[in-house]
Amino acid sequence: MVELRENEQKTLLTLQKLNGKANVAQILQVSGLAHAAIMRATLTLAEKKLVTVHEEKQKAVELNDEGKQHAQRGLPERRLINALIELGGEAPTEKVVEKAQLDRKFVTIALGWLHRKGWATLEQKRTLRTKQPMPPQGADEQLLSFLKEKGSATFEELSKEMQDAVSILKGRQLLEVEEKTVRELVLDKAGWQLVKKGFEIVQEISQLTPELIVSGKWREVKLRKFDVSAAGREFYPAKIHPLQQVIQKAREIFLEMGFTEIRGPFVETAFWNFDALFQPQDHPAREMMDTFYLANPKTGGLPKKSVVEAVAKTHENGWTTGSKGWGYKWSPEEAQRLVMRTHTTAETIKYLSMHKKPPIKVFSVDRVYRNEQVTYKNTAEFHQIEGIVVDEGVTLRDLMGTLKAFYSKFGLKRVKFWPCYFPYTEPSAQATVYVPKLKRWIELGGMGMFRPEVLAPMGIKYPVLAWGGGLERIAMLELNLDDIRMLYGNRLSWIRRTPLCQ
Ligand code: PHE
């Protein structure tokens, strides 16, 4: 005698009612059982050879948020044509839009489709005119309302016209097409025999209540057995974004190493972003192509006069630093211009202008902006890791050791240093790390000791070790990504898939 649980019995009986063949959605409708309960029952029934399960991959379509919005209120062009006809078939565009209560962002799209569908003409870019009576519902609209009712549908459930309209709505980014596994259950011979014989459905208790225990009834009822091998329900608790997790990890590493965090504003004056770092005012990095300048407000305040003057003189002739400077006339206006900071070194130098006494160990892990084309390896906003150490007698060796320790905490054990150039450090170097996963060396950032031309105007009398580099590269390594845009795209499936701990 096969022993079955309540839900398995119900599934079998439903299957019998449906002539021995049905998919999970149909069983769900007829039996009223939950999806997960049917899936679990199916597994057992198949194991006991009472049913056979056929799996088939089917394409299914589902409206996204914007699609649902249009399904509710009508496609934007439909709303315009409705309004236009109500206004007598001819009216200024503005008026039609207003009457249709159409959101600004849909206007261009709606006008485009009015034209494409031949519903109306736009004359002199201002007047909308339509000749015809109300155009009938198109296949795209049929599909929209069909999906509004059903939530999602497989291709097979759609009429030929609606199937054709899928690509139109997909192109308009109103729906998603996904592969869905459809499971069909077929009652086997043994299954038929069993249901024909009939069985009494014994209600199972899945919750042991205090009443059952106190009254002693628990002895009589049939308790549902736990299936400890059953797959759990998928569960997506709130969690910290993967990029934010890497940022936190970088912060924790710095804190472990005895650094203190500093933060500054995203918008800085060119003074702190460039001038204080001895970058000449005609330096190519300052060009619009590389740097975002603010249009409004355009300028910000400079620090106290003595600091500004010292910076000006250092640029012009080297001031007391022994350097010759850059030999040009320094402009305070240029220094006042507001920029989206291009590096967090703007914050470390600003910090140093106010804290001159060693020992100092501060860091920042924060956002910076550069006017870059967005590609798989670049974004216009990203994060930098930045740190400085100020102490008597520190040298480049200390800097190299600090960086080695830092990267090794990220699992990057082999670090090499190459000489390179920055206007504000001397000597300057670049850190390259070996990534075993990729089997190659990659560049992770710049470093060096601040030059006298940077230190003297700020009144700093001790050596300063400084370094900074991109965080996203490390994040991509940690998260196994080959496209940086994934970090900013908010793709839910990826965010959900990415584990909280590696
Ligand atoms: N600011 C440099 C960059 O953005 C990195 C750097 C920081 C270099 C500190 C030297 C010292 O690439």
Side-chain angles (χ1 to χ4, degrees), residues 379-405:
T379 44
E381 50 186 303
F382 54 98
H383 292 81
Q384 273 193 335
I385 296 174
E386 184 102 16
I388 49 169
V389 175
V390 187
D391 210 352
E392 235 165 300
V394 286
T395 65
L396 193 68
R397 248 170 197 263
D398 298 302
L399 179 54
M400 295 195 289
T402 307
L403 277 186
K404 268 199 164 160

Side-chain angles (χ1 to χ4, degrees), residues 29-202:
Q29 228 171 31
V30 175
S31 68
L33 288 172
H35 188 268
I38 301 173
M39 295 306 290
R40 229 175 296 136
T42 304
L43 222 65
T44 319
L45 294 175
E47 245 166 49
K48 299 200 163 154
K49 302 215 173 340
L50 299 171
V51 303
T52 308
V53 185
H54 300 287
E55 288 194 354
E56 199 192 343
K57 289 232 183 295
Q58 275 186 17
K59 275 201 201 158
V61 291
E62 197 176 313
L63 293 177
N64 61 19
D65 285 345
E66 193 174 322
K68 282 183 198 149
Q69 198 183 332
H70 289 334
Q72 208 68 42
R73 308 201 56 186
L75 282 174
E77 64 270 25
R78 173 62 70 185
R79 289 167 60 193
L80 279 194
I81 192 76
N82 281 343
L84 180 59
I85 288 175
E86 269 178 55
L87 288 168
E90 184 182 328
T93 312
E94 275 306 309
K95 216 165 154 196
V96 184
V97 170
E98 199 180 305
K99 181 153 184 77
Q101 291 181 355
L102 194 61
D103 199 324
R104 282 274 139 218
K105 66 178 183 221
F106 296 131
V107 173
T108 320
I109 303 168
L111 291 176
W113 281 98
L114 270 188
H115 174 74
R116 256 171 99 167
K117 291 185 173 176
W119 288 357
T121 49
L122 183 58
E123 278 158 32
Q124 280 150 12
K125 293 204 166 157
R126 267 203 244 114
T127 313
L128 274 172
R129 178 173 299 154
T130 182
K131 277 200 226 82
Q132 0 173 343
M134 183 64 79
Q137 203 188 34
D140 51 351
E141 294 174 294
Q142 271 171 35
L143 176 56
L144 210 57
S145 49
F146 185 74
L147 290 177
K148 180 181 143 201
E149 296 299 318
K150 281 208 55 154
S152 85
T154 61
F155 256 62
E156 282 171 18
E157 290 169 303
L158 303 177
S159 70
K160 178 82 187 58
E161 291 76 30
M162 287 198 272
Q163 284 180 2
D164 291 341
V166 166
S167 60
I168 300 175
L169 293 192
K170 182 156 195 294
R172 293 180 72 166
Q173 287 177 27
L174 301 179
L175 56 73
E176 315 286 344
V177 181
E178 276 182 0
E179 284 245 304
K180 217 164 112 176
T181 309
V182 177
R183 293 186 178 81
E184 191 180 55
L185 277 64
V186 179
L187 207 47
D188 282 345
K189 216 161 143 205
W192 275 117
Q193 281 169 0
L194 197 63
V195 288
K196 277 208 187 113
K197 249 199 300 173
F199 36 64
E200 205 184 322
I201 293 192
V202 188

